[in-house]
């Protein structure tokens, strides 16, 4: 398994920007995808953005054109650049990594989340 720690959340006004980071420690045989999810109060957790091992990216329709997911070359950090934030983006943001462990089993690792609050 890998361990994930998110940072960069906080309070921002509508129209502002935040950059979330997810630090990855530990190792698995292969990482297949790196993902950011979010969960707003009273709502289900939703997938926000994905970056695959081949650097293909996908975004939820609600964040397309505003959010950008990326990773560093050492594969130790995942970023989520969030621009033009709106109150609807208020949520706890979670980092997630899926892959294959050294025992050939699928792995699904989660961070504890970081709070993003956007004021109107």
């Amino acid at each position: 398994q890998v361990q994930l720690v998110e940072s960069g959340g906080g309070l921002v006004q509508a129209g502002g920007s935040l950059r979330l980071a997810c630090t990855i420690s530990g190792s698995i045989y292969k990482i297949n995808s790196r993902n950011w999810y979010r969960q707003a109060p009273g709502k289900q957790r939703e997938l926000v953005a994905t970056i695959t091992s081949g650097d293909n990216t996908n975004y939820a329709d609600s964040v397309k054109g505003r959010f950008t997911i990326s990773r560093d070359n050492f594969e130790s950090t995942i970023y989520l650049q969030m621009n033009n934030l709106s109150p609807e983006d208020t949520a706890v943001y979670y980092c997630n990594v899926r892959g294959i462990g050294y025992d050939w089993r699928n792995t699904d690792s989660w961070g504890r989340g970081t709070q993003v609050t956007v004021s109107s």
Side-chain angles (χ1 to χ4, degrees):
Q1 294 282 348
V2 293
Q3 293 76 45
L4 310 175
V5 178
E6 302 96 337
S7 62
L11 174 64
V12 64
Q13 289 187 331
S17 298
L18 282 175
R19 189 191 197 201
L20 305 183
C22 172
T23 301
I24 305 171
S25 60
S27 67
I28 54 176
Y29 176 72
K30 184 177 185 293
I31 292 178
N32 290 326
S33 69
R34 301 159 182 84
N35 312 290
W36 284 99
Y37 283 77
R38 68 184 180 186
Q39 187 166 19
K43 295 187 177 181
Q44 289 188 333
R45 190 172 297 188
E46 64 170 342
L47 178 62
V48 174
T50 295
I51 184 166
T52 69
S53 58
D55 284 333
N56 293 314
T57 58
N58 283 291
Y59 299 92
D61 288 343
S62 59
V63 307
K64 279 181 182 177
R66 300 188 298 122
F67 290 12
T68 303
I69 188 171
S70 62
R71 62 186 178 97
D72 69 356
N73 290 332
F74 299 101
E75 301 190 34
S76 61
T77 308
I78 311 166
Y79 300 99
L80 186 68
Q81 177 67 43
M82 306 186 294
N83 298 327
N84 193 21
L85 286 160
S86 71
E88 289 70 33
D89 296 315
T90 295
V92 178
Y93 285 70
Y94 297 91
C95 179
N96 167 255
V97 169
R98 294 195 172 98
I100 302 172
Y102 293 108
D103 59 0
W104 298 102
R105 294 183 177 182
N106 291 331
T107 65
D108 187 10
S109 304
W110 292 86
R112 293 189 173 186
T114 186
Q115 176 71 46
V116 171
T117 303
V118 185
S119 63
S120 58

